[in-house]
């Protein structure tokens, strides 16, 4: 373990904080699909993602069954958390308004959720973290 690694509590708190993630999924014969995505995370649980069930990312998640999510701080001192693990996909079963409000605030979140309702083709994916990779350059002495 490096002196710059985050503790379990630090990495879980960081992942639970507000960040846009980059979801990476393996593709056959190509580099991984890597896309920005909103997510929700409660320490100790899975990373919860919402998407159109017909989207390329949903199809790849279903085919591969694994993914990586990376979140980072974009200003010094830099930090990042990467989690990798199996993904399960099921019916859309979380609060879309809560997700939109998390990223856009109450007013814009309500506006966004109203204009982008979760339809019958929406799914919820859960990434179950097995591997973690973290760095906190704020720990440099």
């Amino acid at each position: 373990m490096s002196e710059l690694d985050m503790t379990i509590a630090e990495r879980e708190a960081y992942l639970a904080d507000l960040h846009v993630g980059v979801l990476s999924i393996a593709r056959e014969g190509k580099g991984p699909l890597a896309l920005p995505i909103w997510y929700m995370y409660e320490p100790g649980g899975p990373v919860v993602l919402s998407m159109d069930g017909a989207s390329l990312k949903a199809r790849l998640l279903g085919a591969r069954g694994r993914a990586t999510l990376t979140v980072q701080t974009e200003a010094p001192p830099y930090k990042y958390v990467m989690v990798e693990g199996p993904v399960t996909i099921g019916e859309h079963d979380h609060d879309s308004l809560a997700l939109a409000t998390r990223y856009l605030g109450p007013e814009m979140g309500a506006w966004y959720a109203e204009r982008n309702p979760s339809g019958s083709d929406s799914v919820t994916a859960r990434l179950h973290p097995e591997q973690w990779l973290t760095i906190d350059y704020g720990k440099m002495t």
Side-chain angles (χ1 to χ4, degrees), residues 7-132:
T7 66
I8 292 171
E10 289 170 338
R11 73 187 189 194
E12 289 193 339
Y14 186 81
L15 186 59
D17 202 1
L18 182 61
H19 302 281
V20 173
V22 176
L23 182 66
S24 299
I25 313 158
R27 292 189 292 179
E28 191 69 39
K30 299 180 181 180
L33 179 72
L35 299 170
I37 193 164
W38 292 352
Y39 69 93
M40 298 191 71
Y41 176 73
E42 301 256 341
V47 178
V48 179
L49 312 157
S50 180
M51 64 197 69
D52 181 328
S55 68
L56 177 58
K57 64 186 159 196
R59 293 193 321 267
L60 284 172
L61 285 172
R64 298 292 179 245
R66 296 188 78 79
T68 300
L69 180 78
T70 303
V71 299
Q72 67 182 11
T73 302
E74 299 202 13
Y78 300 108
K79 296 180 185 182
Y80 68 82
V81 168
M82 183 213 76
V83 294
E84 187 273 333
V87 174
T88 56
I89 300 176
E91 291 182 25
H92 180 77
D93 64 359
H94 74 278
D95 185 352
S96 297
L97 176 59
L99 183 63
T101 299
R102 170 176 162 83
Y103 283 91
L104 299 174
E107 187 175 320
M108 285 297 297
W111 178 89
Y112 181 88
E114 181 180 306
R115 283 159 182 76
N116 296 283
S118 298
S120 60
D121 56 346
S122 293
V123 296
T124 297
R126 287 180 169 77
L127 188 158
H128 304 272
E130 286 183 346
Q131 302 291 320
W132 294 76

